[in-house]
Amino acid sequence: MKLNQKEQEMLDGKNGKAAQKAIEILSALGDIFGAEGFIDVKSVQIAGVSYHNLGEAGLEYLENMAEDGKVSVFTTLNPAGMDIQNWKKLGISEEFAQKQLKVVEAFAKMGVKTTCTCTPYLIGNRPNKGDHIAWSESSAVCFANSVLGAYTNREGGPSALASAITGKTPEFGFHLDKNRQAQIEIKVSGKIEKFTDWGALGHAIGDKVGKKIVLITGIEKASEDALKIFSASIATYAGAAIFHIEGITPNKTEKPSESVEITQENLDNSKAFLTDATEIDIVAVGCPHCSLGEMEQIAGLLEGKKVSKEFWICVSREIRDKAAEKGIVEKIEASGAKIACDTCMAVAPLKGRFKGMATNSAKAVFYGRGKNSFKTIFCDLEECVDLAVRK
Ligand code: F3S
């Protein structure tokens, strides 16, 4: 790694301890991955915010960095382990809450905007095509690279924080055009209309081609919400950090010579795989966090109804507040459903509290099963609401 004068000064400790640690981490990463130097980043999104995942050692690391560390670019956080304001409503213990609040305080002290969301692009942290950024959360990374045309690797919590402090990242991986080209064409002949079709498509691609960068053909249109939920699914089941959809996504790529087909049968098999429960005691939607349009749709579906089970709607605080201004929150809460801001069904400590979860997100299925040992029903939003209100 070649360092310029400013970077060398950071490494020499002239900008303080945290900046020194940060540039050390990034230089080591750059050396490992063969980067020649650093590039400037326009924004950062930091994962590793839930105390559930960080533990005491993680909290201590953040508090040390916060002693003299300050972020130098716009930085937001990934979901935390609880709703930062209304954690009691979601059944979070006092002990966990105090630790989680300390984590958020440490980030705030460093100048991070402590909005905790996996959809930073819906709340102002939205890069332009061609911008280099350092984001962490897998669905957000996939969305930023593929749908927005930004350039980011999938950062770990410490490297993202290091980029936030230095404003830099080593130039390797998905920051280079040559590493963003499609390697295989996916010819979709099955029907892609509902969100569960998009979730199933991500799973089916992972099943067929693993981690190869795909160029998807045969799809005529896709809403931003559909691409949001697809980014989460393909990142989870295919480990993808970027994908291309012919005529829809903005990045240029050559058409690969190799191709495979995803048929209706493949999609049906993926949907069947994602459901293994007959009974559920929680319904959770908003993975990735809901857009305002989704909140509006949920409110419409819940109008005049009462839920009979725990129903979590995961969303960023900003979108929740915008929804409140439009009377959407009031309508949702009148049904007994709970709006979970700053957190989600995967990072909140839910294990043992519930056995079966219905969700419209293929990614939430993966984490519900893996982290919380839930059985799952994978179904569209309308059916999620039906299950939530059914006695
Ligand atoms: Fe976001 Fe949590 Fe899903 S971080 S993508 S809501 S698992």
Side-chain angles (χ1 to χ4, degrees):
M1 288 279 289
K2 282 195 208 106
L3 272 59
N4 65 24
Q5 194 192 339
K6 208 174 145 204
E7 291 154 4
Q8 188 59 50
E9 283 174 7
M10 276 190 216
L11 195 60
D12 294 340
K14 294 202 173 127
N15 297 54
K17 268 189 333 177
Q20 185 179 33
K21 179 89 202 154
I23 201 99
E24 272 171 16
I25 291 172
L26 297 175
S27 299
L29 259 180
D31 284 338
I32 291 167
F33 289 101
E36 287 181 5
F38 287 110
I39 40 168
D40 292 343
V41 292
K42 292 254 174 76
S43 83
V44 173
Q45 191 245 1
I46 301 176
V49 179
S50 171
Y51 180 74
H52 191 50
N53 300 332
L54 279 171
E56 209 45 34
L59 172 58
E60 203 177 305
Y61 177 78
L62 290 174
E63 286 179 332
N64 282 338
M65 291 297 273
E67 276 175 18
D68 70 346
K70 285 277 176 270
V71 302
S72 60
V73 291
F74 184 37
T75 303
T76 56
L77 296 175
N78 209 35
M82 62 183 200
D83 187 312
I84 302 299
Q85 291 177 9
N86 296 315
W87 48 271
K88 280 196 180 133
K89 183 186 75 180
L90 299 178
I92 304 293
S93 74
E94 177 81 34
E95 192 193 352
F96 181 88
Q98 291 316 323
K99 296 289 189 185
Q100 183 63 74
L101 290 172
K102 281 190 173 182
V103 170
V104 174
E105 265 166 40
F107 281 121
K109 199 172 161 201
M110 289 186 266
V112 174
K113 183 172 162 63
T114 56
T115 184
C116 303
T117 183
C118 50
T119 55
Y121 46 86
L122 295 180
I123 56 127
N125 189 355
R126 188 176 176 104
N128 293 316
K129 184 168 185 283
D131 284 352
H132 289 270
I133 58 176
W135 284 15
S136 296
E137 198 279 321
S138 63
S139 76
V141 164
C142 200
F143 188 94
N145 277 326
S146 315
V147 182
L148 302 178
Y151 288 67
T152 181
N153 286 320
R154 190 185 295 167
E155 301 294 341
S159 66
L161 176 59
S163 286
I165 291 172
T166 58
K168 291 171 185 299
T169 193
E171 189 175 25
F172 69 93
F174 294 106
H175 290 285
L176 301 170
D177 281 322
K178 65 174 185 187
N179 297 327
R180 298 162 62 94
Q181 298 299 305
Q183 296 161 318
I184 189 163
E185 181 185 353
I186 303 286
K187 296 181 175 172
V188 180
S189 60
K191 221 193 267 171
I192 304 292
E193 287 173 349
K194 299 174 163 191
F195 280 12
T196 47
D197 300 331
W198 286 100
L201 179 61
H203 178 268
I205 290 173
D207 237 19
K208 281 219 170 175
V209 304
K211 280 192 158 186
K212 285 185 180 159
I213 299 177
V214 298
L215 168 64
I216 300 165
T217 58
I219 293 180
E220 277 169 17
K221 57 177 190 255
S223 67
E224 182 163 311
D225 284 338
L227 293 171
K228 168 168 79 73
I229 215 154
F230 176 64
S231 295
S233 179
I234 192 168
T236 302
Y237 292 102
I242 185 168
F243 60 85
H244 307 273
I245 306 180
E246 194 174 60
I248 293 176
T249 53
N251 296 298
K252 286 209 177 85
T253 183
E254 295 290 319
K255 204 160 193 166
S257 51
E258 197 188 343
S259 69
V260 294
E261 188 183 351
I262 299 269
T263 62
Q264 189 59 46
E265 190 184 351
N266 297 138
L267 296 172
D268 292 343
N269 287 343
S270 286
K271 283 188 186 174
F273 171 82
L274 295 166
T275 290
D276 62 356
T278 46
E279 281 180 34
I280 51 110
D281 47 8
I282 181 168
V283 179
V285 299
C287 170
H289 277 174
C290 285
S291 66
L292 190 57
E294 288 174 293
M295 294 291 282
E296 211 156 9
Q297 198 191 347
I298 294 164
L301 291 167
L302 282 170
E303 199 159 6
K305 297 177 185 151
K306 287 274 176 224
V307 300
S308 63
K309 302 172 189 72
E310 189 88 357
F311 185 8
W312 279 30
I313 296 146
C314 304
V315 66
S316 65
R317 187 162 300 282
E318 278 81 351
I319 296 289
R320 182 241 169 245
D321 290 349
K322 279 190 187 157
E325 280 168 23
K326 296 180 102 187
I328 293 171
V329 167
E330 208 180 319
K331 280 190 199 157
I332 291 175
E333 289 183 339
S335 73
K338 293 174 182 170
I339 294 179
C341 289
D342 321 310
T343 188
C344 79
M345 64 298 267
V347 293
L350 291 182
K351 193 167 184 175
R353 284 179 60 194
F354 305 100
K355 292 194 178 86
M357 175 179 74
T359 180
N360 61 348
S361 164
K363 177 174 179 176
V365 166
F366 182 86
Y367 285 101
R369 287 177 181 177
K371 280 190 148 184
N372 295 326
S373 308
F374 293 158
K375 297 265 184 205
T376 56
I377 293 180
F378 177 60
C379 56
D380 274 296
L381 190 57
E382 294 78 0
E383 207 183 322
C384 282
V385 170
D386 274 356
L387 287 167
V389 300
R390 200 177 292 165
K391 295 242 162 53

